[in-house]
Amino acid sequence: MIAFLRRGLFALLAASLVLGFHVRPIEAQSQESSRYAAIVIDAATGEVLFARNADSRRYPASLTKMMTLYLTFEALSQGKANLNDVLTISPRAASQPPSKLGLAAGQTITLDNAMRATAVRSANDMALAIGEHIGGSEARFTNMMTMKAEQLGMTQTRYVTANGLPDARQLTSARDQAILARAIMRDFPQYYSYFGLHDWAYNGRNYRNTNGLLPTGRGYDGMKTGYTNASGYNLAASAVRDGRRLITIVLGGRSTASRNAHVAELMDTGFEVERRRAQGERIQVAQTFFEQRGFGIGGESATGDAPIAYASIREDEDGDVAGSTAVAYTAAPAPVVLPTRVAPAPSERAASQRAAATAQAAGQAAATSARAPHNVTASLNGAPASAAIAPSTTPRRATPPPAREPARAAARAPAGRWAVQVGAFRDEKVANDWLTELNRRFRTQFASAERNVQTAGDWYRSRFTGLTETAAKGACEALAERRVTCMVIGPD
C-alpha cells in the first residue's frame, strides 16, 4: 500500500512538472505583459508614431521625478526659487528608502545639487526635499503636481508622492508621460539639460546617470528611468538625429537591459519612419510601419500566433542581475485605434481661446483662420487651435500699431518661413534675454534669423524665425549637440 502511494505521488509530481513547464511561463508572462505600455512621438509635431496600451493606467515609479523637476523649473522661471537656495533636510526626507543621497536630517544642500541628485541618482530623499522646499510640504506639493498634470492634459495621472515610491493611488499612462516630457522641453528648455547629465560629482563621490542609453552615442540626450516591483522597469527617453527629435516612453519592462534595448529599437524604427518620409516615401500611418516590424499586433494576430519578445534577464537600475536569464514570449490582442497626435493641454486650449478672442477684437480673426485649418500642433505651440502660427510675426497682448509690422517686413525679407523655438517663459524679459543669450552663443546658426517672442495667454515663447528648412534643422541640431533643447517649427 505504501509503495502504491509512493508511485502515485511520484506520478503526480512528474505530471505537475510537465504541466508547469508549459503553463508557468505563460502565467508569468501574462503578469509581466499586463504592465507593458509604450508610445513614440515626434517632439516637434506631436504626432504619435507608435502606441501600445498608451492610455492604460500604470505606476510611474521614479518617472514621477519628471513632474517634481517640472514644478521646480517653473518656480525658478517665476523667481520663486533660486538655484543657490539652501535646503535643510527634514527627518521625513532623510528617512526615505534608497535610491537616495543619504544626507542626515539637519544637513543642507543647494537646490541645484538636489536637482542634480534627483535627475542623475534618482535620489528619493532629494526629490522629497525639493517638494518640501517648493510646496511647503509633500502633501501640498503633490497636490500642485496633480493640478499641473491636469493643466497639461495628463488625464490618467495622479500624484501622492514627490519621488514615486510605491503607492497604489499614484497612477499615470505612457501617453501622459509623453505629454509631460514634451512639456518640459517646450516650456523649460534652459533646464532640460539636467535630464541629460551623464554623471555628477558630490562630496568626493561620482554618481553615474541611471539612464544607460545616454552614453551610447545615438543622439540620446536625456529624460528619466524608474522602477518598483509594481511598475516594472520604466524609461522616458529622448533623442535627436538629423535635426529631428523623438520621445519614447516604455513602462513595465522586465529588466534594465531588455527595456533599454526595446526603447532603442522603437527609437530606431521611429527615426527610420522620419528618414523615409524626408526622402519622399508616403507613410501615412506610422503605427502600421511599426507593426510590420513586430511592434504591436494587428487584428489577424490576436490569436496569439505572433509572439513579442519584450523580455530578457532581470536586473535592477544599477545593473545587478537578480533573476533568470530565460526569455519568455507572449502575444496580446490587437490594440484599439489610438489618436495620432498628443492632445493639447486644457490650459493651452484656454490660453489659445483667450489669444483668439484678442485677435478677433483687433479684427484679425478672419485673416488668422484663413491661414490654416484646425491644427493641434499649432495649438500645442501656443497658437489658437483653429489657426496656424505665422513664424515671422510677434503677437502681443495689446494690438500692435498697424504700420509697425509691415515696415519691419519691408526692411528685410525673411530668408524662409521656418522657425526654431527655444523656450517658453512666464516673463517676457526672460524670454527676450534667453533669445539674446542663444543668439550670442550660436551666432553662426542664427545670423539670418529674426528674434521673436510670441505670446499665448500667460506664456512668452522664444523663437528664431525667418529661417529656411535647412537652416532651422541645422541650427536645432547644433543646439541639441550643446544640450540646448529646441523645436523646429515648419510653415503651416
Side-chain angles (χ1 to χ4, degrees):
M1 183 65 179
I2 294 177
F4 175 79
L5 289 175
R6 284 177 178 173
R7 285 195 298 271
L9 178 59
F10 288 143
L12 180 60
L13 287 173
S16 65
L17 287 173
V18 172
L19 290 174
F21 179 79
H22 294 289
V23 175
R24 289 181 63 83
I26 298 174
E27 291 175 350
Q29 179 70 18
S30 176
Q31 292 171 357
E32 297 284 345
S33 63
S34 68
R35 299 184 298 186
Y36 173 78
I39 190 169
V40 181
I41 71 168
D42 184 306
T45 65
E47 178 189 2
V48 176
L49 303 178
F50 170 77
R52 178 97 183 268
N53 304 324
D55 297 297
S56 300
R57 286 192 161 186
R58 299 289 187 263
Y59 296 117
S62 282
L63 298 196
T64 297
K65 297 179 177 85
M66 291 168 60
M67 179 61 83
T68 299
L69 290 175
Y70 180 98
L71 290 183
T72 307
F73 301 156
E74 185 175 65
L76 290 167
S77 298
Q78 295 174 351
K80 297 178 180 178
N82 188 286
L83 289 175
N84 295 319
D85 286 352
V86 176
L87 284 58
T88 301
I89 305 304
S90 69
R92 177 169 171 76
S95 67
Q96 297 299 293
S99 175
K100 61 191 297 183
L101 192 59
L103 296 187
Q107 287 189 287
T108 59
I109 188 172
T110 64
L111 178 58
D112 177 53
N113 275 324
M115 292 164 63
R116 292 170 185 268
T118 301
V120 176
R121 177 66 173 170
S122 196
N124 294 320
D125 50 354
M126 294 301 104
L128 180 52
I130 290 173
E132 292 174 338
H133 180 71
I134 301 297
S137 68
E138 184 181 27
R140 186 171 183 273
F141 186 72
T142 55
N143 285 336
M144 293 167 58
M145 294 170 72
T146 300
M147 290 176 62
K148 181 58 64 176
E150 293 174 356
Q151 292 172 13
L152 293 174
M154 299 167 65
T155 59
Q156 304 298 322
T157 300
R158 180 191 179 190
Y159 295 104
V160 292
T161 73
N163 50 27
L165 285 172
D167 190 303
R169 299 168 296 171
Q170 185 140 317
L171 298 166
T172 191
S173 69
R175 192 183 304 275
D176 282 3
Q177 291 303 304
I179 291 172
L180 176 57
R182 193 173 180 227
I184 290 170
M185 300 173 190
R186 179 191 64 224
D187 299 341
F188 308 111
Q190 69 274 33
Y191 297 118
Y192 172 71
S193 60
Y194 277 92
F195 291 104
L197 294 170
H198 288 223
D199 46 47
W200 168 64
Y202 183 74
N203 279 354
R205 182 177 176 183
N206 291 321
Y207 298 94
R208 187 179 60 185
N209 199 305
T210 57
N211 184 355
L213 292 178
L214 288 178
T216 61
R218 299 282 293 155
Y220 295 97
D221 62 3
M223 296 319 279
K224 190 72 190 69
T225 62
Y227 170 77
T228 65
N229 286 331
S231 71
Y233 292 83
N234 299 343
L235 177 58
S238 183
V240 178
R241 298 177 195 170
D242 299 324
R244 295 178 175 84
R245 176 180 291 279
L246 298 184
I247 297 169
T248 295
I249 311 293
V250 166
L251 307 179
R254 285 195 178 85
S255 72
T256 301
S258 62
R259 176 205 61 194
N260 289 354
H262 185 50
V263 169
E265 291 168 353
L266 289 173
M267 281 287 197
D268 290 345
T269 305
F271 281 117
E272 185 181 353
V273 170
E274 300 280 22
R275 184 174 59 256
R276 290 191 177 203
R277 284 175 169 175
Q279 294 171 351
E281 184 174 341
R282 291 178 60 85
I283 302 178
Q284 294 182 339
V285 182
Q287 178 84 19
T288 302
F289 188 91
F290 275 79
E291 290 176 353
Q292 289 171 347
R293 281 151 182 77
F295 301 103
I297 297 176
E300 295 179 359
S301 300
T303 59
D305 296 331
I308 307 172
Y310 291 141
S312 184
I313 61 172
R314 263 190 196 283
E315 57 185 32
D316 64 18
E317 289 299 337
D318 296 320
D320 297 325
V321 177
S324 170
T325 59
V327 179
Y329 300 88
T330 189
V336 298
V337 178
L338 296 172
T340 58
R341 292 190 182 273
V342 175
S347 60
E348 290 188 314
R349 287 198 296 267
S352 298
Q353 292 168 0
R354 290 195 297 270
T358 302
Q360 187 175 14
Q364 301 172 350
T368 302
S369 61
R371 274 197 294 268
H374 177 77
N375 191 324
V376 176
T377 302
S379 176
L380 281 169
N381 286 313
S386 60
I389 298 175
S392 60
T393 62
T394 306
R396 301 289 179 186
R397 291 179 186 278
T399 305
R404 194 179 253 177
E405 286 296 321
R408 187 175 66 181
R412 185 180 74 176
R417 298 178 57 220
W418 288 70
V420 175
Q421 179 170 311
V422 293
F425 308 87
R426 295 287 189 180
D427 187 290
E428 185 174 12
K429 183 179 184 302
V430 174
N432 276 304
D433 289 347
W434 184 239
L435 279 173
T436 301
E437 171 64 16
L438 289 186
N439 188 64
R440 181 187 66 81
R441 292 167 55 187
F442 299 92
R443 287 191 182 95
T444 303
Q445 287 76 14
F446 296 120
S448 63
E450 297 181 5
R451 284 174 281 172
N452 283 317
V453 175
Q454 300 181 349
T455 59
D458 296 329
W459 291 94
Y460 297 88
R461 305 193 185 280
S462 303
R463 291 187 177 182
F464 290 97
T465 61
L467 295 165
T468 63
E469 178 181 1
T470 301
K473 291 179 178 178
C476 195
E477 187 171 358
L479 266 64
E481 289 177 356
R482 298 294 297 274
R483 299 188 182 179
V484 177
T485 306
C486 57
M487 285 188 180
V488 175
I489 310 296
D492 297 300

